[in-house]
């Protein structure tokens, strides 16, 4: 199980796990719950340069279609093909097997994102 206190969070409900200059990105359990059953995920291609706050993909559920925003700037170095093939992983394991993409980022790029306490305050408010 992922320690949720080690992750950083965006206001658009993405989580980021930093490991040096690699940032793994997914959507939070809160977002997955609000979306309902995820049935389609579209992700950017490996090698795509993205800017923080830009739309980088789409998540479709039985309730709605949502956009995936880049929580930080970077270059896509991996996408989770398992989620593309089986979008229900986003609901079943948002912090483990349901991750969406990995970015190569500048050192410290995720520091400006919220910690767990701030994210919990945002979603409970």
């Amino acid at each position: 199980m992922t320690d949720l206190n080690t992750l950083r969070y965006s206001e658009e409900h993405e989580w980021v796990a930093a490991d040096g200059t690699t940032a793994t990105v997914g959507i939070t359990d809160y977002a997955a719950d609000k979306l309902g059953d995820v049935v389609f995920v579209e992700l950017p291609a490996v090698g795509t340069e993205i800017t923080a706050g830009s739309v980088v993909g789409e998540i479709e559920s039985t309730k709605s279609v949502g956009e995936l925003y880049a929580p930080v700037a970077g270059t896509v170095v991996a996408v989770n093909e398992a989620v593309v093939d089986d979008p229900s992983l986003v609901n079943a394991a948002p912090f483990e097997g349901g991750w969406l993409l990995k970015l190569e980022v500048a050192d410290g790029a995720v520091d400006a994102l919220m910690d767990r306490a701030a994210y919990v305050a945002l979603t409970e408010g």
Side-chain angles (χ1 to χ4, degrees):
M1 176 80 183
T2 301
D3 180 356
L4 303 183
N5 291 312
T6 64
L7 304 176
R8 304 301 280 191
Y9 301 86
S10 74
E11 290 184 4
E12 289 77 27
H13 309 289
E14 285 93 18
W15 59 263
V16 180
D19 183 11
T21 59
T22 302
T24 302
V25 178
I27 67 167
T28 65
D29 52 346
Y30 176 87
D33 182 57
K34 293 295 182 197
L35 279 170
D37 294 333
V38 176
V39 296
F40 175 78
V41 175
E42 179 181 77
L43 299 171
V46 170
T48 303
E49 297 279 334
I50 59 174
T51 57
S54 65
V55 175
V56 295
E58 186 174 283
I59 298 179
E60 189 173 319
S61 72
T62 55
K63 292 182 182 179
S64 66
V65 175
E67 295 176 322
L68 174 65
Y69 294 92
V72 294
T75 303
V76 178
V77 294
V79 295
N80 188 349
E81 294 295 340
V83 164
V84 173
D85 294 340
D86 183 6
S88 68
L89 288 171
V90 173
N91 298 106
F95 297 106
E96 285 88 24
W99 64 273
L100 301 175
L101 51 101
K102 291 180 187 268
L103 304 172
E104 185 70 25
V105 298
D107 193 33
V110 304
D111 294 348
L113 298 173
M114 291 181 277
D115 63 13
R116 182 70 182 169
Y119 183 71
V120 168
L122 172 75
T123 58
E124 290 179 350

